[in-house]
Amino acid sequence: MDRIAIEGGSPLFGDIPISGAKNSAIKLMAASLLTSEPVRLTNMPRLADTRLLGRLLARFGTQISESDGPDGQQTVLHTPEITSSFAPYELVRQMRASFNVLGPLLARTGHAKVSLPGGCTIGARPVDLHLKALEALGAHIDMHEGYVFAQAPRGLKGAEIEFPFVSVGATEHALMAAVLAHGTTVMKNCACEPEIADLAECLNAMGAKVSGQGTTTIVVEGVTSLHGADWSVICDRIEAGTYAVAGAMAGGEVRLTRVRPELIAILLDKLVEAGCEVERGADTVTIRRKDAKIRPVDLTTDVYPGFATDLQAQFMALMTLADGESVIRETIFENRFMHVPELSRLGADIRVTGNEARVHGVTELRGAQVMATDLRASACLVIAGLAARGETIVNRVYHLDRGFENLEGKLSACGANIRRLKGDSPIMEEE
Ligand code: EPZ
């Protein structure tokens, strides 16, 4: 398995271009199943997760072509006919978001058999809300031997769906199913993440009638069919936030380009509180840390526009070197502190009680071997390694490859001493 070696201590100076968002790209790819015409996605990140989903879509009859077009990396997905509506365990277990093909398959063909995704390292992550939403839309759902069998032979029907709590995946799943339903669907207590608005707007470009995206109530007027479209994937706010924290951690001056600063507003405010200078441009953000000291900052993760759970681990890495104690609360996932023991291997002082981590800043981190447990935890260990004395080796780098395009290249272009040590091919685990 590949590993990443980082020799800490070099400040970062330079530009980091931000890629298209993984968590939008994979939903947009699934949405392409809703039409028999080609969907061209530009600003596409090339990631292990997009490749994996491509493999799954190919089983359903999707023809996929990747190229570098005039607007950067693009992927064209074309499913003239759905040749199979079966998503096997071997593929779904490797990436839980692939469960979201259930809705589009059902909406387009009236039936689907999709493996349940199972739990993962950050929490149990059930899909009950997804299934209840599909049932509300008239699907008949059965479960046998770890598979969901969904049927709606006469099509889905518009309905009122009120989510009992906010779920990104369930909102997106219900949205993708509702666009081809008969009649109007009103979805309440929806997630407002920018990737959901990106999906809704792409669906509208395909001929859907969705309104209210980006708010807690989304209204979908069902249409009988969708057509092809060109869509540019929204920038990856989590990648942007990760490099912003990396800049703060390593010191120097980093400029993020191809970014929408408003999507990481809360994180940038926290970096200012921590003592960084932040300059927001139209599509750039510059982060400077000239002060030797990082100030402690408390945070509580929340649904958008709150502090993203996907940036919690990275910010914790920064707080390990703060001049005092910070309190970090995780409210979205029940087990998202797996990076704590690994940060401790680097010399961090963190106590966890329930969903709260108290981080006592230390004067220095020291390089060590650490193990990545999930995608964002891996990024946190790389960030810590940038500031640690000596060499940090991050094992299980395949987690990083799922969601960060060319991470070593982007950081080393800014002066980080980081390199990949090649190993055997990984067997991907669910995340
Ligand atoms: C999405 O996961 C993202 N994944 C996650 O990013 C992100 O952390 C999360 O949203 C929150 O922002 C993708 O977009 C592929 P949820 P999702 O449904 O949709 C519970 C990354 O690193 N829940 O909003 O799965 C659930 O267990 C990943 O890129 C139910 O109980 O998140 C969790 O506690 C990690 N039943 C909470 O809701 C359900 O049916 C929020 O989960 C659905 C969710």
Side-chain angles (χ1 to χ4, degrees):
M1 262 183 240
D2 288 3
R3 293 172 301 155
I4 286 203
I6 307 148
E7 186 69 38
S10 310
L12 301 180
F13 287 97
D15 282 4
I16 303 187
I18 301 306
S19 301
K22 168 189 81 102
N23 286 349
S24 193
I26 53 183
K27 317 299 167 53
L28 295 168
M29 288 175 75
S32 75
L33 289 170
L34 289 162
T35 173
S36 60
E37 295 183 13
V39 173
R40 185 172 76 103
L41 300 177
T42 56
N43 197 31
M44 267 298 279
R46 300 272 184 252
L47 301 166
D49 273 8
T50 52
R51 275 194 296 278
L52 195 65
L53 186 58
R55 274 171 54 205
L56 181 61
L57 297 184
R59 292 183 66 107
F60 307 144
T62 308
Q63 299 148 17
I64 301 178
S65 63
E66 293 185 344
S67 58
D68 284 336
D71 321 320
Q73 292 174 170
Q74 65 174 32
T75 300
V76 180
L77 300 110
H78 185 197
T79 319
E81 209 185 325
I82 305 262
T83 52
S84 159
S85 298
F86 171 51
Y89 173 68
E90 303 75 66
L91 286 175
V92 179
R93 70 170 273 278
Q94 294 183 50
M95 185 180 68
R96 54 178 302 109
S98 52
F99 183 70
N100 280 38
V101 298
L102 175 62
L105 288 174
L106 182 65
R108 178 127 171 237
T109 67
H111 63 95
K113 176 183 173 188
V114 175
S115 171
L116 280 164
C120 78
T121 52
I122 61 175
R125 302 181 77 184
V127 287
D128 52 328
L129 265 52
H130 300 230
L131 297 178
K132 281 195 186 115
L134 294 179
E135 279 178 331
L137 292 168
H140 181 79
I141 308 263
D142 274 325
M143 275 190 282
H144 305 290
E145 296 167 349
Y147 280 87
V148 175
F149 292 73
Q151 290 189 58
R154 283 193 291 279
L156 296 167
K157 288 192 198 64
E160 180 147 324
I161 299 168
E162 176 146 12
F163 295 106
F165 55 88
V166 174
S167 159
V168 173
T171 302
E172 291 166 333
H173 209 160
L175 172 61
M176 285 193 278
V179 285
L180 289 182
H182 305 291
T184 301
T185 298
V186 179
M187 297 169 20
K188 295 188 176 157
N189 202 22
C190 293
C192 301
E193 270 62 7
E195 294 75 26
I196 296 173
D198 202 40
L199 172 64
E201 282 148 25
C202 175
L203 289 168
N204 283 344
M206 292 163 68
K209 292 190 176 157
V210 183
S211 57
Q213 59 272 18
T215 75
T216 55
T217 303
I218 297 180
V219 179
V220 185
E221 275 177 60
V223 294
T224 49
S225 67
L226 296 180
H227 51 71
D230 278 4
W231 191 254
S232 173
V233 180
I234 192 172
C235 72
D236 196 320
R237 66 195 164 95
I238 305 302
E239 189 201 21
T242 300
Y243 290 125
V245 179
M249 185 73 164
E253 180 170 325
V254 166
R255 191 173 72 127
L256 312 177
T257 62
R258 300 162 60 84
V259 68
R260 282 174 50 189
E262 73 277 14
L263 302 184
I264 49 168
I266 302 261
L267 171 81
L268 296 177
D269 292 347
K270 295 278 178 195
L271 290 178
V272 171
E273 261 186 75
C276 297
E277 285 173 33
V278 171
E279 247 173 63
R280 302 166 207 228
D283 60 356
T284 60
V285 177
T286 305
I287 296 101
R288 245 174 253 117
R289 181 162 76 82
K290 293 204 171 126
D291 263 9
K293 298 251 190 247
I294 297 165
R295 288 199 288 268
V297 176
D298 296 343
L299 72 85
T300 299
T301 61
D302 204 350
V303 297
Y304 189 83
F307 193 99
T309 173
D310 289 349
L311 288 170
Q312 177 258 106
Q314 297 89 316
F315 202 83
M316 188 184 291
L318 178 66
M319 288 299 105
T320 61
L321 288 181
D323 186 23
E325 185 187 85
S326 50
V327 180
I328 296 185
R329 285 188 197 87
E330 170 59 51
T331 69
I332 307 294
F333 292 109
E334 63 272 25
N335 191 27
R336 212 171 193 181
F337 284 142
M338 299 281 279
H339 42 284
V340 169
E342 301 305 309
L343 287 171
S344 303
R345 294 177 59 74
L346 299 172
D349 180 1
I350 307 168
R351 316 262 153 82
V352 174
T353 316
N355 72 341
E356 186 176 288
R358 286 184 174 267
V359 187
H360 301 263
V362 292
T363 48
E364 71 167 13
L365 298 176
R366 291 176 304 281
Q369 292 250 3
V370 286
M371 193 180 72
T373 48
D374 74 76
L375 168 58
R376 311 305 175 184
S378 319
C380 129
L381 298 173
V382 170
I383 288 172
L386 291 173
R389 181 154 61 86
E391 190 178 56
T392 297
I393 306 263
V394 182
N395 291 289
R396 294 202 175 179
V397 163
Y398 63 86
H399 286 297
L400 271 180
D401 295 335
R402 308 178 68 119
F404 288 93
E405 190 174 52
N406 188 23
L407 174 121
E408 316 91 91
K410 289 184 184 185
L411 285 173
S412 56
C414 292
N417 194 342
I418 179 169
R419 67 191 200 284
R420 180 176 288 250
L421 310 173
K422 282 289 188 193
D424 300 337
S425 297
I427 298 162
M428 299 248 284
E429 287 169 7
E430 188 178 319
E431 177 171 302

